[in-house]
């Protein structure tokens, strides 16, 4: 068993839900989160006093699931991200679980 964590920007939640269903990951949790980007383009140097950090609406999904389902999901996410027209791909990580009850 492993912990799967997925993050996605607002607007792609339905796509993540479809991918999870296709990978037969039926049990998961989701939460609204705010995403931030600390890097600023060079042009913003003229406005360096502003401190204008903008949050991006995002979602985080997590699930304790089996490796084979995660492998399927990663293949689906990779294919989805290749066809994405924005610079905000679906991100996913896997964390091993040493013990669980």
């Amino acid at each position: 068993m492993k912990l799967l964590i997925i993050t996605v920007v607002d607007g792609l939640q339905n796509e993540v839900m479809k991918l999870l269903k296709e990978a037969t990951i039926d049990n998961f949790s989701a939460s609204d989160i705010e995403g931030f980007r600390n890097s600023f383009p060079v042009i913003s140097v003229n406005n360096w006093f502003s401190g204008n950090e903008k949050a991006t609406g995002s979602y985080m999904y997590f699930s304790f699931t089996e490796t084979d389902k995660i492998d399927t999901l990663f293949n689906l996410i990779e294919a989805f991200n290749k066809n994405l027209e924005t610079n905000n791909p679906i991100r996913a990580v896997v964390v091993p679980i040493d013990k669980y009850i």
Side-chain angles (χ1 to χ4, degrees):
M1 178 154 307
K2 298 188 180 207
L3 173 60
L4 168 68
I5 303 170
I6 303 167
T7 59
V8 64
V9 295
D10 191 18
L12 292 178
Q13 309 91 287
N14 289 337
E15 300 303 326
V16 171
M17 299 290 283
K18 289 176 191 174
L19 296 174
L20 287 167
K21 184 175 183 173
E22 193 171 341
T24 65
I25 298 175
D26 299 320
N27 299 313
F28 57 89
S29 299
S31 180
D32 293 335
I33 59 172
E34 290 184 344
F36 294 89
R37 184 179 304 251
N38 281 333
S39 61
F40 299 101
V42 176
I43 296 172
S44 70
V45 171
N46 293 335
N47 196 19
W48 65 287
F49 282 113
S50 71
N52 188 9
E53 293 180 358
K54 287 193 172 191
T56 302
S58 302
Y59 288 84
M60 180 176 67
Y61 299 83
F62 60 95
S63 175
F64 295 98
T65 193
E66 298 82 23
T67 303
D68 59 329
K69 292 182 179 185
I70 292 171
D71 292 340
T72 301
L73 180 67
F74 269 56
N75 290 332
L76 293 168
I77 291 173
E78 187 175 23
F80 178 84
N81 284 343
K82 283 182 182 177
N83 298 316
L84 196 60
E85 295 180 8
T86 69
N87 194 23
N88 296 306
I90 296 173
R91 306 272 187 198
V93 298
V94 177
V95 180
I97 304 297
D98 291 332
K99 288 176 121 179
Y100 67 92
I101 297 177

